[in-house]
Amino acid sequence: MSGPEVLRFAANLYRVPTEEGYFLVDAGLAWEAKRLLPLLEPPPRLLFLTHHHTDHAGGAKALWERFRLPILAHPKEWPYLTKAKPRPPLPLPLLGSLLANLAPPLPQEALRPVEEGEAVFGWRVVALPGHTLGQVGLFREGVLIAGDALRGKGLPPKFINEDHALAQKTVRKILDLGVERAYIGHGGPLTRAEVEALARRLGV
């Protein structure tokens, strides 16, 4: 199958076609919403958030306010998305906590839970924990939309992974799914051979 359409913002967003329209994966930074919203006509069927980080979820409230669309996210991410709990600070002196928490809070009524094994328009939800504990992706016919489970041809830096050892194990899980092509949050898509090379480097 052909891959999703990438929209290049601070993080990669993906427009995923359905039989009637499309849905959107991730929402960019809050201040990118002015550029994103004009690209979303007709509006998406739903917004799927891979994880709570502000470069992936910051624009979600603007989409909710404009379209009142369902926003799907793993329940472990909800406290950060609603700001019931502050996001972990970025590794920057003085400004780390502020910058990590710039995204406006989502109302809980906007959120819908997704768990591993559920289906979203024919895509299977898969848990990809490590970068965040509730990170999820979507898998279908060898294609994975992976969020930040992979970055470039490696992993996100250890200091921004909530559980780096778990992030390493998730690389093996991605291969075990039968992934042939992985669409990631930062950078171009990865082939299976590239993910296999990463697994060898990590020893997983």
Side-chain angles (χ1 to χ4, degrees):
M1 63 173 288
S2 60
E5 177 190 356
V6 62
L7 303 177
R8 298 195 183 280
F9 286 75
N12 292 337
L13 318 183
Y14 292 101
R15 193 199 312 260
V16 185
T18 68
E19 288 186 1
E20 297 181 4
Y22 69 98
F23 67 91
L24 186 69
V25 177
D26 288 339
L29 292 162
W31 51 88
E32 294 179 306
K34 287 183 180 179
R35 182 162 70 94
L36 175 60
L37 287 170
L39 303 178
L40 303 181
E41 295 293 347
R45 305 284 300 277
L46 59 83
L47 171 62
F48 182 96
L49 294 178
T50 59
H51 61 294
H52 70 77
H53 286 167
T54 193
D55 57 332
H56 291 257
K61 188 175 184 183
L63 271 68
W64 163 253
E65 290 176 342
R66 171 70 66 87
F67 302 123
R68 284 298 192 268
L69 76 180
I71 299 175
L72 279 58
H74 192 280
K76 288 182 179 178
E77 308 294 280
W78 285 28
Y80 304 108
L81 294 168
T82 62
K83 285 197 169 177
K85 183 177 180 180
R87 291 174 170 91
L90 295 171
L92 298 170
L94 303 178
L95 295 177
S97 181
L98 174 66
L99 293 175
N101 288 281
L102 285 175
L106 280 171
Q108 188 150 324
E109 65 180 306
L111 290 165
R112 305 288 185 273
V114 284
E115 302 272 3
E116 183 164 52
E118 294 180 12
V120 176
F121 290 110
W123 292 75
R124 177 159 58 94
V125 177
V126 292
L128 301 170
H131 184 60
T132 70
L133 297 184
Q135 181 172 241
V136 285
L138 293 167
F139 179 71
R140 182 178 181 180
E141 297 176 18
V143 173
L144 177 68
I145 303 174
D148 281 354
L150 303 163
R151 180 172 294 190
K153 295 182 181 180
L155 291 178
K158 184 176 182 178
F159 56 78
I160 59 171
N161 286 336
E162 291 181 20
D163 186 328
H164 192 66
L166 190 54
Q168 293 177 314
K169 291 178 182 177
T170 288
V171 175
R172 170 48 53 188
K173 178 177 182 177
I174 288 170
L175 290 172
D176 289 346
L177 285 170
V179 168
E180 296 296 332
R181 196 164 182 83
Y183 289 83
I184 58 179
H186 302 272
L190 300 180
T191 64
R192 180 175 185 85
E194 289 170 325
V195 181
E196 288 173 339
L198 172 60
R200 287 193 296 272
R201 292 198 303 272
L202 297 174
V204 297

